[in-house]
Amino acid sequence: MSNKMWGGRFGEGPDRIMEEINASIGFDQRFFAQDIRGSKAHAAMLAEKGIISREDADKIVAGLDTVLAEIEGGHFEFRRELEDIHMNVESRLADLIGAAAGRLHTARSRNDQVATDFKLYIRDTIDHLDGQLRDFQLALVARAEEHADTIMPGFTHLQTAQPVTFGHHCLAYVEMAGRDRGRLADARKRLNECPLGSAALAGTSFAIDREMTAKALDFDAPTRNSLDSVSDRDFVLETLAAASIAATHLTRLAEEIVIWSTPGFDFIKLPDSFTTGSSIMPQKRNPDAAELVRAKAGRVIGALTSLLVVMKGLPLAYSKDMQEDKEAAFDALDALSLSLAAMTGMVKTLTVNEKAMRGAASRGFSTATDLADWLVRSLNLPFRQAHHVTGSLVAMAERKGCDLDGLSLDDMREVEPGITDEVYSVLGVDNSVASRTSYGGTAPGNVRDAASRWRDRLGKAGQ
């Protein structure tokens, strides 16, 4: 039999394969709250403009409330033959209130309806992710305050570079998460225009009030072009782009957690709640949560790539290709949300091995730059010459099997006669870290000040 929601154009029902490829109710049912909210706003506007009666509008709104309660209560039967969430809601509404339900779709199309639903959903998701990113930042700020003086090696190329503090390292990720929140906020601002009332692609001949529905749904304004309104998925692409960057940031910390928790580093220990054992090796303590966060970024980035390919070359306005905009986006944003929850949990509960961090910072000639800087300041050597002298001293220390502070003054004077015993004051990791007082540097005072500024900022409403 024909789908009664399609009207009289089709005399036969869809082939089973067509139904399988065409139906989206299996995934777009998560739009139910947004779909019902949009329909209630649309019905109220139609009544206000005299397009439908107030009595019918009241019936529609009451019926939609019943549908919402049924779905939230787990009593709603989603029907695959009705294709999507819009048709499922409208069909159930007709069961509840009769002919009045048929007036709801006046002056709109599934095209503007789904665009509105998706915008509402993405907006809600951005707000949720922003809250999670804030929680992640707060967890990092707390560790930064706790470890403002905890010395660890800073790395470039994963080779020991210069000493830093663990608190400073944590604050680097606070900065990244702050930019992630900014990108999501930008995406939210741009998406906050309402497509409802654009109808299929050309607008409608009914005297609707799009400003009214936009305001009712907390949009800043209605969209300005009906063709663009129903065919735009920039808001999903931009959100996925921001999500991809955020997920990539999480993978960097996840990778460090994996490395730091190995016996070779032993910088941190994860609790049982974020590790697993081995089926064969009883000694193993695997950082699976961090590894999975590292991997899930691929799903987020893949969703962005997938939607870019879907949208590439699509002529205006709506094409069924755009039904493929949802599953990957849902999966990606779910993956990011789960990753944020896991990373925040790990940051809060990991144990820091300060002794191991400090020991590693004291190895690998991490104060070589401090020595070069001292040669510039105290002996007035050009930096390039100081760099060369320091390199020679590092080579000497390697031959002798010691660090720079293990060289005697006579050893150093073989390379640069002007060196005095004052040089030893810059070769300790404590002195090195304490000297990095430039704005944004790793000095413990800087770290405490930066952590305090972030705590103040994050404590303000909407920050």
Side-chain angles (χ1 to χ4, degrees):
M1 61 182 290
S2 65
N3 185 333
K4 66 180 181 179
M5 306 304 288
W6 289 354
R9 171 65 179 84
F10 294 86
E12 296 181 3
D15 183 89
R16 180 183 60 81
I17 295 174
M18 179 59 190
E19 181 178 305
E20 184 70 22
I21 197 172
N22 194 49
S24 60
I25 189 59
F27 51 85
D28 69 13
Q29 61 185 259
R30 69 164 67 191
F31 278 164
F32 72 89
Q34 289 83 12
D35 190 72
I36 290 171
R37 184 183 177 192
S39 291
K40 289 167 71 174
H42 186 65
M45 181 276 294
L46 292 176
E48 180 67 24
K49 297 299 292 181
I51 297 170
I52 66 174
S53 70
R54 185 73 62 181
E55 179 184 2
D56 281 345
D58 290 343
K59 287 181 182 179
I60 288 169
V61 170
L64 289 170
D65 285 336
T66 300
V67 175
L68 180 62
E70 289 178 351
I71 297 175
E72 290 179 335
H75 309 304
F76 188 92
E77 180 186 357
F78 292 103
R79 295 165 54 191
R80 189 173 184 79
E81 69 271 18
L82 294 175
E83 297 185 15
D84 55 31
I85 185 62
H86 324 296
M87 292 300 198
N88 269 265
V89 169
E90 188 175 333
S91 177
R92 179 56 181 151
L93 183 64
D95 293 341
L96 291 169
I97 68 171
R103 300 189 184 280
L104 174 60
H105 211 55
T106 307
R108 76 172 184 186
S109 162
R110 279 194 297 179
N111 293 353
D112 61 336
Q113 190 177 358
V114 69
T116 302
D117 290 359
F118 208 0
K119 279 197 170 187
L120 289 171
Y121 179 86
I122 292 293
R123 193 176 69 184
D124 291 343
T125 301
I126 286 174
D127 292 344
H128 175 71
L129 291 172
D130 181 72
Q132 287 191 293
L133 282 162
R134 179 180 178 274
D135 290 343
F136 178 54
Q137 288 179 293
L138 285 169
L140 289 163
V141 166
R143 300 321 295 261
E145 292 169 333
E146 180 184 357
H147 292 284
D149 297 284
T150 300
I151 293 175
M152 67 175 289
F155 299 95
T156 61
H157 309 278
L158 205 55
Q159 303 292 313
T160 299
Q162 294 177 261
V164 296
T165 68
F166 184 59
H168 192 58
H169 199 103
C170 289
L171 289 177
Y173 286 99
V174 177
E175 296 288 341
M176 293 182 214
R179 294 193 297 274
D180 293 330
R181 294 178 68 191
R183 277 182 283 269
L184 286 170
D186 287 345
R188 191 191 194 284
K189 182 178 180 180
R190 263 183 290 279
L191 74 77
N192 210 34
E193 295 178 345
C194 183
L196 197 57
S198 298
L201 75 162
T204 178
S205 59
F206 290 95
I208 61 173
D209 185 346
R210 293 190 62 208
E211 294 280 356
M212 179 179 173
T213 47
K215 183 176 180 181
L217 296 173
D218 296 320
F219 286 104
D220 295 331
T223 51
R224 291 174 294 279
N225 182 284
S226 60
L227 284 166
D228 178 56
S229 299
V230 300
S231 60
D232 161 47
R233 292 298 183 269
D234 291 6
F235 62 96
V236 191
L237 288 167
E238 188 171 5
T239 301
L240 288 175
S244 295
I245 297 171
T248 301
H249 286 156
L250 295 182
T251 68
R252 301 183 74 177
L253 181 55
E255 171 71 359
E256 289 178 330
I257 287 174
V258 170
I259 293 171
W260 292 345
S261 63
T262 61
F265 276 75
D266 197 28
F267 285 3
I268 65 162
K269 181 180 179 181
L270 289 172
D272 292 348
S273 53
F274 288 102
T275 56
T276 64
S278 165
S279 64
I280 189 173
M281 296 171 284
Q283 84 281 8
K284 292 296 293 299
R285 187 186 189 87
N286 299 324
D288 283 7
E291 291 172 353
L292 287 166
V293 168
R294 190 174 60 186
K296 283 184 183 295
R299 298 169 75 159
V300 184
I301 296 166
L304 172 60
T305 303
S306 174
L307 185 55
L308 284 168
V309 174
V310 166
M311 298 303 296
K312 178 194 67 65
L314 280 187
L316 296 179
Y318 181 84
S319 296
K320 195 67 171 181
D321 310 51
M322 292 169 64
Q323 183 169 291
E324 292 296 315
D325 61 356
K326 299 174 190 65
E327 283 184 279
F330 293 158
D331 179 77
L333 298 175
D334 288 347
L336 177 57
S337 179
L338 181 57
S339 296
L340 280 166
M343 289 304 303
T344 301
M346 283 185 277
V347 168
K348 286 181 176 180
T349 58
L350 62 83
T351 302
V352 176
N353 186 340
E354 297 182 21
K355 182 178 179 181
M357 283 187 173
R358 183 183 180 86
S362 299
R363 298 188 295 273
F365 310 107
S366 65
T367 58
T369 304
D370 298 276
L371 172 56
D373 289 346
W374 182 86
L375 292 169
V376 171
R377 286 194 308 270
S378 299
L379 304 186
N380 199 30
L381 296 183
F383 181 80
R384 285 301 170 200
Q385 183 181 347
H387 186 283
H388 179 77
V389 169
T390 301
S392 298
L393 291 172
V394 168
M396 178 186 289
E398 284 182 324
R399 290 194 300 271
K400 290 179 175 289
C402 65
D403 212 330
L404 286 170
D405 58 1
L407 294 174
S408 69
L409 188 58
D410 288 339
D411 289 334
M412 293 190 186
R413 283 175 170 168
E414 286 182 19
V415 176
E416 172 49 58
I419 294 177
T420 69
D421 58 6
E422 182 190 340
V423 73
Y424 292 102
S425 67
V426 301
L427 296 182
V429 292
D430 293 282
N431 290 331
S432 174
V433 166
S435 72
R436 306 297 169 180
T437 56
S438 59
Y439 184 77
T442 192
N446 285 20
V447 173
R448 279 187 282 271
D449 289 345
S452 178
R453 286 194 299 271
W454 269 112
R455 186 168 289 284
D456 290 345
R457 179 177 171 181
L458 294 170
K460 295 176 182 177
Q463 297 296 314

